[in-house]
Amino acid sequence: MSQTPKLAVDMVDPDPIRFLDAEGRYSPSSSAADYAAELDGVGIEEFQQWYRDMVETRAFDTEATHLQRQGQLALWVPSIGQEGCQVGLAHATEPQDHIFPAYREHTVAKVRGVSFVELLKLFRGFTHGGWDVTDPANGNFHLYTLVLAAQAQHANGYALGQLLDAKLRAGSSALDAGEQGIATGEATMAFYGDGTSSQGDANEALIFAASYQTPSVFVVQNNGWAISVPFERQSRTPLYRRALGFGMRAVQIDGNDPLAAFAVGRRFMRLAREGGGPGYIEALTYRIGAHTTSDDPTRYREKAELEAWRDRDPVERMEAYLRELGVDEAFFAEVAEQADREAKRVRDAILQLPPPDADSMFAHVYTEAHPRIEEQRTWLERYESSFEADEEITA
Ligand SMILES: Cc1ncc(C[n+]2csc(CCOP(=O)(O)OP(=O)(O)O)c2C)c(N)n1
C-alpha cells in the first residue's frame, strides 16, 4: 500500500522489510525475500548475543535516567524502543568500518566496544567530547554529535578519505564526481533521525555521497518525532524515497526487527565496501521515552500511540523469537540478572570517578596559547580560590 498521497508519478511503496512479525514469529514480508540470504550462517548464539546487547543497554539506559533525576548527570537521552535496529545494524558492520552517531545510539556504542562509563562521562560533564576514537577498544565509533546532521558531513568526509586511500593504493590520486566507485574494503555508517533529515547538511551529504560514490550507508531512525514535531510535518513522503531521488539504493525497514536491520545493513555495507556506492536505510521505529530528560512527551503525543508501539517492542519481539527457537528460561533469567549487575557497576563507577581538572576545559581550544583563553583561565583560578578563602573564614 502506498503511504504517499497521489502525486504526478504514481508510486507504490513496498512493505517495510521485516523478518519477525510484531509477536516475534518468523514471518518475512514479501520485500524481505531478497535479503534472506544475508541471515545465512547467523545462528542462535548470535541472536542470543543481540538480545543480551539490547537488554543490557536498556538496563543501563534506565539507570542513566535515574542518575539524571538524582542530579548526577546533566542530561540523559533515552534510546528505549530503538534498540532493535541499532543492534542489527551494529552487528552488520565489520571491525574496520567507521560509525558516526547522533546522540541516541547507545546500543551501537556498546556493540562497537565503547564502555557505558565512557558514555556517561559526557552526560556527567566530565569531558567535552567523549571517548578516544583512536583507541581501538572504541571500535571506530566516533563522538556523539548534538549539532543535527553535522555527523552526516563528517561521515561523508571520512568515507571520501576511505575512497581516496583505496585509489592511492591502486596508484591513482584522481577523483571525479560521477565515476564508478572502487573497492575500499571498509565503509562508513552514519546515524541520524527523521527531524535531522530536514537539515540542509543531511541533504547535501546525500548529494555528495551519490556524486562521488562514497562507501557510506546512511541510517535514518524514523522514531516518529523530532522532539514535539511529528514526522508527518517533516515529510510528505517516506524518507527512503528522498534518497532514491538522490540516486542511491534505499529501502525502508521495520526498525524494531533486529533481523531486518542486520540483513539490510550487511548487504548495504558490503556493497559499499566493494565499490558499489552509498546506501540509505529508513528504519521505522519509535522513541518510547522522552526526547531527553528535559522533555515531557505527554504534552504532545497520545497515549494510544505509545501503547501501540509498546506492543511492537524490539526486546520482547527478540525474546519471543528466541523462545520459538527453543532457548530456555534460564538464559533469560541470567541475562536479566547480568544486565542489572552491569547497570549497578556503571552507576558505582561513574559516581566514584574523580572530577576532571577544571583547567582541562582550556587545554584543547587552540593549539597555541591565546590571550582570551588565558584571561578566562586566570579568572577561573581566582574564582575557585575565592572558595578556599571562604573555608578559612568559616573554619
Ligand atoms: C542544528 C541543530 N538545530 C536544532 C537542534 C535542537 N534539536 C536537538 S534534537 C532535535 C530534534 C531531532 O530530531 P530527530 O532528528 O528526529 O532525532 P531524535 O532526537 O528523534 O532521535 C532538535 C531540533 C540541534 N541540536 N542542532
Side-chain angles (χ1 to χ4, degrees):
M1 267 283 282
S2 180
Q3 300 155 351
T4 309
K6 192 160 170 49
L7 302 173
V9 177
D10 204 13
M11 269 178 75
V12 176
D13 299 299
D15 282 338
I17 296 165
R18 168 191 307 117
F19 288 92
L20 301 183
D21 69 13
E23 277 75 45
R25 282 182 298 258
Y26 189 82
S27 171
S29 57
S30 55
S31 53
D34 184 35
Y35 294 87
E38 300 295 339
L39 291 165
D40 286 352
V42 184
I44 293 190
E45 272 173 30
E46 280 93 347
F47 293 144
Q48 284 177 305
Q49 182 59 45
W50 300 2
Y51 177 79
R52 188 183 290 280
D53 290 334
M54 288 196 283
V55 173
E56 283 190 17
T57 307
R58 189 169 284 193
F60 155 72
D61 203 322
T62 307
E63 191 64 53
T65 296
H66 295 160
L67 281 166
Q68 196 284 333
R69 289 289 181 248
Q70 291 158 7
Q72 300 294 350
L73 302 180
L75 180 80
W76 181 241
V77 186
S79 70
I80 291 175
Q82 298 183 215
E83 300 94 337
C85 50
Q86 291 190 17
V87 82
L89 288 158
H91 280 284
T93 57
E94 297 281 342
Q96 71 275 20
D97 296 330
H98 280 251
I99 320 289
F100 289 76
Y103 40 74
R104 207 187 291 285
E105 280 68 61
H106 313 319
T107 312
V108 187
K110 180 196 187 301
V111 173
R112 294 295 298 190
V114 177
S115 84
F116 287 145
V117 176
E118 285 294 317
L119 213 67
L120 283 196
K121 277 187 195 168
L122 184 63
F123 293 91
R124 192 158 163 81
F126 276 17
T127 161
H128 288 302
W131 41 95
D132 178 1
V133 180
T134 62
D135 181 343
N138 291 323
N140 300 333
F141 185 81
H142 289 253
L143 301 185
Y144 272 177
T145 307
L146 274 79
V147 181
L148 302 180
Q151 77 275 24
Q153 299 284 9
H154 302 159
N156 242 336
Y158 200 89
L160 183 64
Q162 290 172 317
L163 186 57
L164 278 170
D165 279 351
K167 290 205 78 160
L168 281 174
R169 284 196 296 273
S172 161
S173 60
L175 187 71
D176 299 314
E179 72 178 279
Q180 286 295 310
I182 68 158
T184 49
E186 58 180 278
T188 291
M189 185 177 269
F191 286 86
Y192 57 89
D194 44 285
T196 303
S197 71
S198 299
Q199 291 281 124
D201 276 358
N203 291 277
E204 288 167 24
L206 299 187
I207 292 174
F208 191 92
S211 293
Y212 287 91
Q213 292 291 287
T214 57
S216 47
V217 173
F218 297 87
V219 175
V220 177
Q221 290 173 85
N222 181 348
N223 65 9
W225 294 89
I227 315 183
S228 57
V229 179
F231 170 67
E232 293 71 34
R233 212 165 300 154
Q234 302 279 355
S235 179
R236 301 288 291 173
T237 70
L239 292 174
Y240 86 98
R241 280 198 187 193
R242 290 196 187 161
L244 292 175
F246 287 116
M248 300 168 61
R249 81 177 59 83
V251 293
Q252 200 176 41
I253 67 167
D254 181 329
N256 285 5
D257 174 0
L259 275 65
F262 176 83
V264 175
R266 189 183 216 187
R267 166 87 50 92
F268 280 25
M269 286 297 273
R270 187 176 62 245
L271 289 170
R273 282 183 221 107
E274 288 173 356
Y280 184 102
I281 302 170
E282 180 186 5
L284 300 174
T285 182
Y286 195 74
R287 161 167 64 71
I288 294 290
H291 172 72
T292 67
T293 44
S294 304
D295 168 52
D296 173 7
T298 62
R299 308 270 309 235
Y300 55 80
R301 65 184 191 187
E302 299 293 333
K303 207 166 171 224
E305 177 183 285
L306 176 64
E307 291 310 321
W309 279 94
R310 275 192 202 281
D311 290 342
R312 299 175 223 169
D313 187 297
V315 178
E316 287 175 21
R317 202 186 273 200
M318 198 65 194
E319 178 178 334
Y321 180 52
L322 287 173
R323 288 186 191 276
E324 185 184 294
L325 294 176
V327 175
D328 65 12
E329 190 55 44
F331 168 76
F332 298 105
E334 183 267 316
V335 171
E337 224 172 87
Q338 170 63 22
D340 279 353
R341 255 202 314 275
E342 172 65 1
K344 182 169 185 322
R345 185 193 68 78
V346 172
R347 178 192 183 84
D348 293 345
I350 197 76
L351 294 180
Q352 278 160 24
L353 279 181
D357 181 0
D359 197 54
S360 67
M361 85 173 86
F362 305 109
H364 304 291
V365 184
Y366 296 107
T367 43
E368 285 164 24
H370 189 285
R372 297 299 297 274
I373 298 294
E374 288 313 313
E375 204 180 290
Q376 290 171 29
R377 192 196 296 262
T378 311
W379 180 90
L380 185 70
E381 273 166 15
R382 215 174 312 129
Y383 177 75
E384 290 288 345
S385 55
S386 72
F387 293 100
E388 284 163 26
D390 279 355
E391 275 164 28
E392 277 163 31
I393 291 163
T394 43

